Amino acid sequence: MLIARRRLLSLGLAALPLVAAPALAGEACQPVDPAKGIVFKRQDGTRGLVRREGDGTLVIDYVTNKGDWMDRRRSRMGIFELGRELNESEYPLVGSAPPEWVWKFPGKLPEPEAGKSWSGTVRETLIQISYGEEMKENRSETKSRWQATYRFLERKEVKISGCFYLILPVEAEFVSGAAKRSQRWIYFEREGFAIETRADGKDNGIVAMTPA
């Protein structure tokens, strides 16, 4: 359900987990387009790739420069994540496939708009696959539900890699029983995509962004 907030959340740029590197002298703006691919770098040195598929789904590879480390997510606008594959190691997994999460949202999802919020139940399926003797596949699925609340904060203007962008910070909280998790993204309004800049309280801002 899309509901108007009575009071816009005020958030200074110093509080945003967006850490754009100072522009180099003479650095020229290279406009980005997710349909053509976007390369980005975050605070921790990881590089990622954003691309939009034919059906409008965004695929974001959050780590592309650490061997077999993988954090690939499918989403709507980069905000409402529909799936994720994860391998938190620079080396290949042995005896199993990367765990995969699939999320389903109810109804029509909102367009980001400053000062609004969205709440609903998100259904999660965790798929885990291991291989036994003679490479026999063993598959398990774990299902759960999360109560999700997304908040679209105030619009800002920032400069990244020589370009000025209008951004909308987006925060989300998920609760399932005693379990809680949170995320924050920076949504680029004109370009129509978002990149995660905080997960469970740990900041990892964007320091560079250019065409692929």
Side-chain angles (χ1 to χ4, degrees), residues 117-135:
S117 66
W118 179 92
S119 297
T121 301
V122 181
R123 299 189 179 199
E124 175 186 279
T125 302
L126 169 59
I127 302 169
Q128 295 177 295
I129 296 175
S130 60
Y131 300 98
E133 293 183 4
E134 299 180 352
M135 292 301 291

Side-chain angles (χ1 to χ4, degrees), residues 10-95:
S10 177
L11 202 68
L13 276 178
L16 285 176
L18 172 70
V19 185
L24 299 176
E27 184 178 17
C29 173
Q30 301 181 66
V32 298
D33 180 352
K36 298 178 181 178
I38 300 166
V39 175
F40 63 92
K41 181 181 179 181
R42 296 196 291 173
Q43 277 177 278
D44 64 357
T46 55
R47 296 183 182 274
L49 175 66
V50 180
R51 62 187 190 279
R52 176 173 288 137
E53 298 192 332
D55 63 357
T57 301
L58 276 183
V59 177
I60 303 181
D61 285 287
Y62 274 93
V63 182
T64 61
N65 62 333
K66 292 180 67 176
D68 278 73
W69 195 294
M70 178 177 64
D71 186 356
R72 179 174 297 141
R73 311 185 203 180
R74 298 175 60 84
S75 67
R76 185 171 185 271
M77 298 177 288
I79 300 170
F80 298 100
E81 295 182 344
L82 307 174
R84 184 184 189 186
E85 295 176 79
L86 183 65
N87 174 27
E88 296 182 293
S89 172
E90 297 184 26
Y91 303 100
L93 289 174
V94 177

Side-chain angles (χ1 to χ4, degrees), residues 170-204:
V170 182
E171 293 184 342
E173 295 180 349
F174 304 87
V175 178
S176 179
K180 295 182 181 180
R181 61 185 181 88
S182 63
Q183 290 174 269
R184 179 184 282 179
W185 301 265
I186 295 300
Y187 178 69
F188 295 85
E189 284 194 297
R190 292 171 178 163
E191 294 74 20
F193 73 95
I195 293 174
E196 183 189 75
T197 56
R198 179 186 291 173
D200 295 324
K202 183 178 180 180
D203 290 345
N204 197 8

